[in-house]
């Protein structure tokens, strides 16, 4: 007996051949009508030749007829041949040419699975893929209902619950035996019964649902069980067979691979989307940092920041104090800060702090400690518990070379004295921003006088805590040694030297924290 197995996407149906020829096309007057935009009105014909050989003929189709992926106008057919018209595959099977009907049926099923799996693997959207898998499983076994369950640890998640009409089954966890699923997950072995009422009478849900035939197979990749495919039927006449178990088992192996691939693709796409967003956020954040160092008569300045992640929590800035028309000034506010944590949350706090500080510095002629008190008052309500920011804010008085500095729990500023060629560390003290509402009583302004040739170095803890491959920190002593040796260099040269030494110290270890440096030299 000969037949054609028509496969379109996830569905297939047989067409038994007799003596008459069979036409295939979009038109309703064809024997096999295909709803396929790439199929012509009368696409091709399968006919029996005078010598009793089945022959395929193209009917002058627009997109061609293919036999085993080769374009043909006319060709003899052999059992197992694959005809492709448009997006539809038609298998030619000849059961009369084999004595082993069971073996032939298995071959036919494998050919069908091969084509169905192509449709399966072309779907990369995970929710849609799970629905396709369930619909295919029901279609392959002609079950009344089907359930796709994924497992994580001890938890079962019902992802798809469908009936033979592809409609969703409501509240699936109450219409299926969890015990059957858990047994398959635990053992990795399928469960098949054609007399569920007797064989599984101890499972109350099976009895209550009047399930007659049941088949449950694992979704497995090597030794990892992702979940199960469960199908059942209440019909007395229809029952699942060993061949159904074999077919659904082979299908579930391919389905598990497709699920895992879709999962990995989804994770990759999500990760890339996050990275893309972080790159955009990083560009926005970096655009908010000083584009160039300010030009101040009698002062050389250089600032640099290297982020550990795409978005960092370090901050530095230069701001002009309020202008007084009668008294033009080259005074300058200089800020450096470090938000707890890394990534987007830290970057958002940094942006908020910058906005508040810039607004206050440009409109309020006050000592650094008063500005910091007000910045903290505004920031505190918007910071989550555990989030805080250290900062140093200094005001440089151009006429005298005097620095007024206020510390908010930040790293100690270092000063290189050019005449004595030594380095002094100043304890700016204070408390970090964002911990308590009012920090005014805990802040002080310290005064640092810079003589010609003296240089001030401000930095974040990413400098001192830079880690080597063997877990050693760069350390404040190493910073002070470099500063003592190269403090007479220009600020830009000094920062280059420090960053180069950190790079050598770090070796192949990753940057584990943002690194920010500001150097200022009285010239």
């Amino acid at each position: 007996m000969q037949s054609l197995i028509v496969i379109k996407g996830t569905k297939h149906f047989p067409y038994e051949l007799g003596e008459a020829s069979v036409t295939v096309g979009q038109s309703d007057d064809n024997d096999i009508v295909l709803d396929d935009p790439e199929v012509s009105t009368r696409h091709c014909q399968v006919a029996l030749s005078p010598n009793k050989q089945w022959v395929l003929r193209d009917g002058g189709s627009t997109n061609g007829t293919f036999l085993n992926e080769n374009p043909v106008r006319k060709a003899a057919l052999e059992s197992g041949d694959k005809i492709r018209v448009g997006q539809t595959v038609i298998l030619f099977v000849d059961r009369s040419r084999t004595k082993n009907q069971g073996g032939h049926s298995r071959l036919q099923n494998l050919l069908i699975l091969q084509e169905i799996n192509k449709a399966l693997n072309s779907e990369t959207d995970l929710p849609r893929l799970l629905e396709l898998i369930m619909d295919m499983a029901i279609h392959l076994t002609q079950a009344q209902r089907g359930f796709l369950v994924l497992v994580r640890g001890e938890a079962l998640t019902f992802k798809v619950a469908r009936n033979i009409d592809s409609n969703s089954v409501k509240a699936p966890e109450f219409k299926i035996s969890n015990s059957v699923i858990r047994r398959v997950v635990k053992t990795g072995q399928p469960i098949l019964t054609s007399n569920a009422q007797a064989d599984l009478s101890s499972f109350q849900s099976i009895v209550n649902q009047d399930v007659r035939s049941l088949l449950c197979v694992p979704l497995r990749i090597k030794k990892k069980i992702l979940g199960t495919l469960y199908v059942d039927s209440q019909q007395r006449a229809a029952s699942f067979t060993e061949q159904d178990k074999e077919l659904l088992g082979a299908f579930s192996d391919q389905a598990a691979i497709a699920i895992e691939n879709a999962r990995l693709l989804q994770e990759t796409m999500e990760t890339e989307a996050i990275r893309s967003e972080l790159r955009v956020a990083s560009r926005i954040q970096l655009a908010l940092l000083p584009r160039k160092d300010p030009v101040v008569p009698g002062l050389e300045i250089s600032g640099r920041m290297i982020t550990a992640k795409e978005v960092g929590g370090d901050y530095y800035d230069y701001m002009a104090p309020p202008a007084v028309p009668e008294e033009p000034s080259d005074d300058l506010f200089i800020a450096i800060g470090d938000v707890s944590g890394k990534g987007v949350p830290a970057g958002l706090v940094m942006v908020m702090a910058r906005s508040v500080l810039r607004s206050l510095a440009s409109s309020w002629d006050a000592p650094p400690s008063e500005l910091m008190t007000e910045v903290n008052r505004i920031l505190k309500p918007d910071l989550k518990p555990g989030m805080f920011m250290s900062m140093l804010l200094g005001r440089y008085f151009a006429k005298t070379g005097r620095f007024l500095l206020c510390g908010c729990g930040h790293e100690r500023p270092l000063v290189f004295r050019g005449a004595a060629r030594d380095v002094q560390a100043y304890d700016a003290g204070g408390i970090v921003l964002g911990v308590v509402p009012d920090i005014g009583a805990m802040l002080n302004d310290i005064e640092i006088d810079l003589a010609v040739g003296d240089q001030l170095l401000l930095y974040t803890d990413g400098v001192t805590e830079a880690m080597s491959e063997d877990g050693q920190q760069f350390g404040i002593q190493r910073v002070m040694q470099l500063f003592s040796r190269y403090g007479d260099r220009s600020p830009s040269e000094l920062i280059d030297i420090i960053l180069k030494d950190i790079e050598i110290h770090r070796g192949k270890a990753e940057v584990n924290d943002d690194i920010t440096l500001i150097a200022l030299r009285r010239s």
Side-chain angles (χ1 to χ4, degrees), residues 75-231:
L77 292 173
E78 298 290 340
S79 185
D81 278 350
K82 181 174 67 177
I83 303 164
R84 181 169 63 80
V85 292
Q87 300 175 19
T88 305
V89 170
I90 303 174
L91 298 177
F92 174 76
V93 293
D94 187 352
R95 294 187 295 278
S96 65
R97 293 186 176 273
T98 177
K99 296 179 180 179
N100 187 350
Q101 294 300 315
H104 180 87
S105 182
R106 287 188 178 88
L107 176 60
Q108 177 178 306
N109 287 338
L110 288 175
L111 291 172
I112 293 170
L113 275 182
Q114 184 180 22
E115 296 306 317
I116 288 179
N117 285 334
K118 289 180 182 178
L120 197 69
N121 291 322
S122 66
E123 180 59 65
T124 56
D125 179 70
L126 186 56
R128 176 61 186 148
L129 173 65
L130 298 179
E131 291 180 355
L132 283 176
I133 289 170
M134 193 69 265
D135 289 342
M136 290 181 193
I138 291 174
H139 185 72
L140 285 170
T141 59
Q142 290 300 294
Q144 284 188 303
R145 306 184 308 164
F147 302 84
L148 192 156
V149 182
L150 297 184
V151 61
R152 178 168 291 184
E154 295 294 319
L156 300 178
T157 304
F158 287 78
K159 288 295 185 179
V160 187
R162 311 277 263 209
N163 59 29
I164 197 166
D165 297 319
S166 298
N167 296 320
S168 296
V169 176
K170 295 181 179 179
E173 62 273 21
F174 301 113
K175 300 181 183 298
I176 187 174
S177 172
N178 287 5
S179 300
V180 169
I181 293 172
R182 291 189 184 280
R183 180 185 293 182
V184 172
V185 170
K186 183 178 180 179
T187 64
Q189 298 299 315
I191 290 179
L192 165 67
T193 175
S194 57
N195 188 6
Q197 292 296 300
D199 297 342
L200 302 174
S201 59
S202 60
F203 297 148
Q204 194 60 45
S205 58
I206 299 294
V207 176
N208 292 342
Q209 291 295 319
D210 195 28
V211 172
R212 298 292 169 174
S213 189
L214 178 152
L215 175 57
C216 185
V217 299
L219 289 163
R220 174 171 40 205
I221 295 181
K222 296 182 179 179
K223 295 182 179 180
K224 180 182 178 182
I225 304 292
L226 304 182
T228 66
L229 280 178
Y230 172 107
V231 293

Side-chain angles (χ1 to χ4, degrees), residues 311 339-340 342-350 352 384 387:
V311 180
V339 182
S340 60
K342 304 177 184 68
V344 172
L348 291 175
V349 174
M350 170 266 188
M352 285 193 295
K384 293 181 179 180
M387 184 74 77

Side-chain angles (χ1 to χ4, degrees), residues 394-462:
R395 178 168 180 173
Y396 174 70
F397 295 88
K399 289 183 179 179
T400 62
R402 182 170 66 102
F403 250 94
L404 203 59
L405 265 176
C406 174
C408 296
H410 198 76
E411 306 300 308
R412 294 184 299 171
L414 303 178
V415 176
F416 172 79
R417 298 298 181 182
R421 295 194 64 82
D422 67 350
V423 174
Q424 297 174 339
Y426 285 78
D427 188 2
I431 184 173
V432 294
L433 306 173
V435 175
V436 295
D438 187 1
I439 61 174
M442 306 175 208
L443 302 182
N444 296 295
D445 294 302
I446 63 171
E447 191 170 308
I448 300 175
D449 291 314
L450 292 180
V452 174
D454 289 353
Q455 187 157 196
L456 172 68
L457 182 65
L458 309 177
Y459 54 94
T460 59
D461 60 7

Side-chain angles (χ1 to χ4, degrees), residues 313-354:
D314 276 14
Y315 160 68
Y316 78 97
D317 207 355
Y318 313 116
M319 296 151 286
V324 180
E326 302 80 19
E327 299 179 17
S329 170
D330 290 315
D331 289 3
L332 185 69
F333 278 115
I334 298 160
I336 187 170
D338 184 4
V339 182
S340 60
K342 304 177 184 68
V344 172
L348 291 175
V349 174
M350 170 266 188
V351 171
M352 285 193 295
R354 174 189 183 273

Side-chain angles (χ1 to χ4, degrees), residues 24-25 35 47-48 56 90 146 151 153 175 258 282 312 333 377 383 386 475:
V24 179
D35 182 15
L48 195 61
L56 171 66
I90 303 174
V151 61
K175 300 181 183 298
S282 178
F333 278 115
R377 185 189 69 79
L383 297 187

Side-chain angles (χ1 to χ4, degrees), residues 14-35:
Y15 184 93
E16 296 297 330
L17 295 173
E19 295 290 325
S21 62
V22 174
T23 58
V24 179
Q26 278 205 56
S27 176
D28 290 339
D29 61 354
N30 287 288
D31 299 295
I32 297 177
V33 180
L34 298 179
D35 182 15

